[in-house]
Amino acid sequence: MSKDGLFKWISDRCNDPRFLVRVATANDLQDIANLDSAYGDHSVDIAGLTAWHTRYRDGAYVICYRADEKSSWEVIGSLGIWPVTAEAFAGIVSGRLKETDLEADAIMAYAQHARYAHWYVGGVTLRADFRQKTFIGERKGLSARPFVILMQY
């Protein structure tokens, strides 16, 4: 499945109007780093995340929530889908590298219409108060559970 295919798959299953998944902007990076910091030594810090985002601006996604249409969107989770070098990919697959070991030069530089061979999916975070819960949408009783399932490891 391609990166766009994965993103569409996730978005299609989140039919609850209280949730939104979108590409993160530079303004979202601190929120992502704050969420990720809950994972301690396994967290990518704000400097690392900013360096990755500078190399490939479409690599981080945020999961946003608002209680109703009058509320503002708040970032409650994130997911990273990053094109990486063959060496970085091999290091992660073999277990020699962790996410926190990836330097900016391991992330492939953004180029419009580029096709990348190796992808790293990681940095999956969800705010603690949204973990292991099901949210039923007002419309058609649809569930936003895919994000919760991602976090139950």
Side-chain angles (χ1 to χ4, degrees):
M1 178 181 297
S2 71
K3 177 186 142 215
D4 291 335
L6 175 63
F7 181 65
K8 182 174 177 357
W9 183 86
I10 292 169
S11 294
D12 285 350
R13 279 150 185 80
C14 185
N15 297 357
D16 188 318
R18 296 174 293 175
F19 292 88
L20 169 71
V21 180
R22 63 172 171 73
V23 174
T25 66
N27 294 334
D28 296 316
L29 298 181
Q30 187 63 59
D31 287 335
I32 295 170
N34 291 345
L35 287 167
D36 200 41
S37 69
Y39 299 95
D41 292 342
H42 301 284
S43 301
V44 176
D45 63 16
I46 186 64
L49 188 57
T50 300
W52 291 11
H53 188 261
T54 300
R55 296 273 298 168
Y56 187 78
R57 65 179 181 241
D58 291 345
Y61 294 85
V62 288
I63 303 163
C64 302
Y65 172 79
R66 66 180 180 182
D68 56 51
E69 291 182 10
K70 295 177 183 168
S71 303
S72 7
W73 291 105
E74 58 182 306
V75 174
I76 62 158
S78 66
L79 169 69
I81 307 174
W82 305 96
V84 295
T85 63
E87 296 79 19
F89 184 81
I92 291 170
V93 169
S94 70
R96 289 182 288 112
L97 291 177
K98 302 179 304 222
E99 181 177 71
T100 53
D101 296 328
L102 295 178
E103 299 290 334
D105 61 357
I107 306 298
M108 300 294 293
Y110 179 87
Q112 191 172 13
H113 306 299
R115 297 182 60 91
Y116 302 100
H118 303 94
W119 291 89
Y120 172 65
V121 177
V124 179
T125 63
L126 192 63
R127 206 170 72 191
D129 56 324
F130 280 85
R131 295 181 196 157
Q132 300 185 3
K133 294 181 181 175
T134 300
F135 294 88
I136 304 300
E138 287 84 24
R139 295 188 294 194
K140 302 179 188 173
L142 299 170
S143 173
R145 192 146 176 86
F147 304 118
V148 177
I149 291 169
L150 284 173
M151 296 309 301
Q152 292 179 355
Y153 45 89

